[in-house]
C-alpha cells in the first residue's frame, strides 16, 4: 500500500489538469497513489486524465455522476483510503519536483503537526509574487492568505514557522488529523461545497490542538483566480458561488466560535456581516438564499456546533507511533506565528 494519497478534485479543468498531473507524477517521493475525483466535467478533463493514467499506474480516475464540490470530491477520496498522509492538489497547481518529499520530512518533525503547507507562487518571474505562505486568522472570524501579493524578494529569507492554517490548494495532512477532525463522519463539511472549507479546517484544527507548519522549501505555482474581496470579479461569478461565500462565513462563526472567543470575535464579525447582508439586499439579492438556508437547517447547524465544541473542550491526544513509511527527521526549532485560543 502506498504511504501517501494525492487527492485531486476536478471540474471542467481541462486547461490546467495535464500540467498539474505531470508535476505530481514527477515527484521525487514516488510512493504514492494519485486519485482524480471528477465532479461530472463537461469538457475533456476525463479524457486527458485517462490518457496520462495509461502511462502511469499510480494515477486513477474516479468519475462522480454529479458535482459534489471541493468538499464532496475530497471526502469521497478520504473515505475510501487509509494512507498515512494525504496531499490535496488543486488542478491549477504545478509542484516543484521535491514538494512532496519536503512536506513529508516537515510533518515528521513534531507529532502535533497535522498540516504542512508550502510557498505558493503566482508566476514564474525572476522575482515572483507570492500567492500564499499559509493563512493567518483575523480577529473577526475570517482567514487571510499570508504574504499574498508580495514579491518574494520583499520577504526573503523565509523560515519554517507555525501558522494559523493552510490554504486548501496544496496542504499535506496527517491521517490522524483528518480522522480527529471528522464531525458526523465528515472531514470537510459538505455544506460548504467549495468555499471557505479550508478556513473551517484551519479553525477546527486549532480548536482541537493541532499545529500547521509552513515550510518554504515546499514550492509550487498557483495563479489564483478568485479572492472574495474582489467585487469586480465577484459580480461575474454565478449566484451559487456567491451564496456559498455568505452562507459559509455564517456556518464558520456558528460552529466554531467558543464561549471564550464570542465577546470579542462577534463584536468584530457582526458589523461586517450586517454590511454584507445590506449589500445583498441592495446589489446581490440571490445571496439572501444564505439566510433561508440557515433558517431551514438551524437544528443541524446547532448539532454540529455542539459536537465541535464538545471535542474542543478535550485535550489533544498524541498520535500513535510514527509510521515506518515516514522518514526520520531531527527535532527542529521553529518560529511561532499563530494566535492562541
Amino acid at each position: 500500500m502506498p504511504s501517501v494519497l494525492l487527492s485531486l478534485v476536478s471540474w471542467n479543468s481541462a486547461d490546467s489538469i495535464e500540467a498539474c498531473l505531470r508535476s505530481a507524477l514527477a515527484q521525487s517521493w514516488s510512493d504514492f497513489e494519485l486519485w482524480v475525483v471528477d465532479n461530472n466535467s463537461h469538457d475533456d478533463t476525463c479524457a486527458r486524465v485517462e490518457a496520462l493514467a495509461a502511462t502511469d499506474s499510480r494515477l486513477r480516475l474516479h468519475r462522480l455522476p454529479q458535482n459534489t464540490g471541493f468538499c464532496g470530491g475530497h471526502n469521497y477520496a478520504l473515505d475510501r483510503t487509509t494512507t498515512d498522509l494525504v496531499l490535496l492538489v488543486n488542478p491549477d497547481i504545478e509542484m516543484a519536483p521535491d514538494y512532496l518529499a519536503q512536506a513529508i520530512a516537515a510533518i515528521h518533525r513534531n507529532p502535533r503537526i497535522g498540516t504542512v503547507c508550502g510557498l505558493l507562487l503566482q508566476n514564474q518571474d525572476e522575482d515572483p509574487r507570492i500567492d500564499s505562505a499559509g493563512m493567518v486568522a483575523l480577529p473577526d472570524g475570517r482567514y487571510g492568505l499570508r504574504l499574498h501579493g508580495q514579491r518574494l524578494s520583499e520577504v526573503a529569507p523565509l523560515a519554517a514557522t507555525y501558522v494559523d492554517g493552510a490554504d486548501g490548494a496544496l496542504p499535506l495532512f496527517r491521517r490522524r488529523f483528518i480522522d480527529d477532525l471528522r464531525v458526523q463522519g465528515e472531514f470537510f463539511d459538505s455544506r460548504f461545497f467549495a468555499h471557505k472549507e479550508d478556513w473551517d479546517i484551519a479553525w477546527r484544527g486549532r480548536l482541537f490542538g493541532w499545529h500547521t507548519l509552513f515550510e518554504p522549501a515546499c514550492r509550487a505555482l498557483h495563479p489564483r483566480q478568485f479572492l472574495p474581496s474582489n467585487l469586480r470579479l465577484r459580480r461575474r461569478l454565478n449566484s451559487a458561488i456567491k451564496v456559498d461565500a455568505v452562507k459559509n462565513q455564517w456556518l464558520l462563526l456558528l460552529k466554531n466560535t467558543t464561549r471564550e472567543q464570542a465577546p470579542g470575535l462577534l463584536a468584530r464579525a457582526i458589523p461586517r456581516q450586517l454590511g454584507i447582508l445590506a449589500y445583498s439586499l441592495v446589489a446581490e439579492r440571490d445571496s439572501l438564499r444564505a439566510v433561508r438556508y440557515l433558517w431551514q437547517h438551524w437544528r443541524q447547524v446547532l448539532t454540529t456546533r455542539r459536537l465541535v465544541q464538545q471535542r474542543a473542550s478535550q485535550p489533544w491526544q498524541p498520535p500513535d507511533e510514527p509510521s515506518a513509511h515516514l522518514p526520520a527527521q531531527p527535532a527542529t526549532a521553529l518560529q511561532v506565528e499563530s494566535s492562541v485560543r
Side-chain angles (χ1 to χ4, degrees):
M1 184 183 73
S3 61
V4 187
L5 169 72
L6 275 59
S7 175
L8 186 154
V9 174
S10 61
W11 182 71
N12 296 333
S13 306
D15 289 346
S16 62
I17 192 75
E18 288 174 295
C20 175
L21 292 176
R22 292 185 191 280
S23 76
L25 294 171
Q27 291 297 296
S28 59
W29 181 281
S30 60
D31 183 24
F32 63 80
E33 189 170 69
L34 172 53
W35 282 29
V36 175
V37 180
D38 185 75
N39 270 321
N40 195 27
S41 291
H42 301 302
D43 62 5
D44 63 344
T45 295
C46 291
R48 294 172 185 246
V49 175
E50 287 173 335
L52 280 173
T55 69
D56 196 314
S57 61
R58 295 173 299 174
L59 174 56
R60 300 185 181 183
L61 174 64
H62 298 258
R63 296 174 182 251
L64 301 186
Q66 61 186 13
N67 187 356
T68 63
F70 179 97
C71 297
H74 283 303
N75 281 344
Y76 175 93
L78 296 177
D79 294 346
R80 290 164 175 80
T81 55
T82 58
T83 55
D84 297 323
L85 301 171
V86 178
L87 181 72
L88 304 191
V89 184
N90 265 24
D92 57 350
I93 281 282
E94 292 182 46
M95 288 181 277
D98 63 347
Y99 188 100
L100 182 57
Q102 294 280 4
I104 290 173
I107 206 168
H108 198 40
R109 292 175 190 169
N110 182 343
R112 201 157 181 163
I113 296 173
T115 311
V116 170
C117 57
L119 179 62
L120 305 186
L121 301 172
Q122 293 181 350
N123 52 56
Q124 296 177 317
D125 295 348
E126 184 175 340
D127 185 17
R129 291 193 182 276
I130 295 172
D131 176 60
S132 72
M135 296 195 301
V136 58
L138 303 179
D140 62 355
R142 294 178 296 145
Y143 279 76
L145 296 173
R146 182 171 169 265
L147 306 182
H148 177 76
Q150 296 188 46
R151 293 284 184 186
L152 185 57
S153 62
E154 297 172 352
V155 298
L158 291 169
T161 184
Y162 290 123
V163 293
D164 290 329
D167 175 51
L170 195 58
L172 179 71
F173 293 132
R174 194 186 294 266
R175 176 66 66 166
R176 190 179 182 281
F177 170 83
I178 291 170
D179 291 341
D180 191 29
L181 262 67
R182 290 181 182 272
V183 178
Q184 296 173 300
E186 292 188 329
F187 177 65
F188 285 113
D189 187 334
S190 57
R191 292 170 296 197
F192 280 64
F193 192 76
H195 196 60
K196 295 189 174 78
E197 71 292 321
D198 49 356
W199 297 11
D200 188 43
I201 294 301
W203 196 338
R204 199 154 75 245
R206 293 170 66 221
L207 285 179
F208 293 5
W210 290 92
H211 296 329
T212 297
L213 177 67
F214 164 69
E215 174 49 75
C218 303
R219 296 199 175 191
L221 179 67
H222 186 227
R224 189 177 299 270
Q225 299 298 315
F226 170 61
L227 287 173
S229 58
N230 187 332
L231 291 180
R232 184 176 61 180
L233 180 58
R234 183 185 178 95
R235 292 190 184 101
R236 299 202 300 267
L237 297 173
N238 69 57
S239 61
I241 294 176
K242 291 184 280 192
V243 171
D244 282 340
V246 177
K247 167 180 64 69
N248 294 349
Q249 181 64 64
W250 295 346
L251 285 172
L252 279 166
L253 294 168
L254 290 169
K255 293 194 319 175
N256 299 322
T257 305
T258 66
R259 290 182 179 180
E260 294 77 14
Q261 291 173 327
L265 191 151
L266 294 180
R268 295 176 176 89
I270 289 175
R272 178 181 175 84
Q273 297 309 312
L274 288 176
I276 290 172
L277 185 59
Y279 175 80
S280 299
L281 284 166
V282 173
E284 198 177 280
R285 296 187 68 85
D286 281 351
S287 292
L288 295 176
R289 299 205 307 264
V291 178
R292 183 174 63 188
Y293 179 91
L294 292 174
W295 176 257
Q296 292 173 336
H297 298 90
W298 66 269
R299 287 187 178 87
Q300 295 94 315
V301 175
L302 290 182
T303 296
T304 305
R305 172 179 171 77
R306 176 178 55 80
L307 294 171
V308 169
Q309 298 301 318
Q310 183 180 57
R311 169 60 187 87
S313 67
Q314 301 170 5
W316 179 85
Q317 296 292 327
D320 298 332
E321 289 299 313
S323 168
H325 293 303
L326 301 180
Q329 287 287 321
T332 304
L334 296 171
Q335 295 175 298
V336 176
E337 185 174 311
S338 176
S339 51
V340 297
R341 63 185 177 108

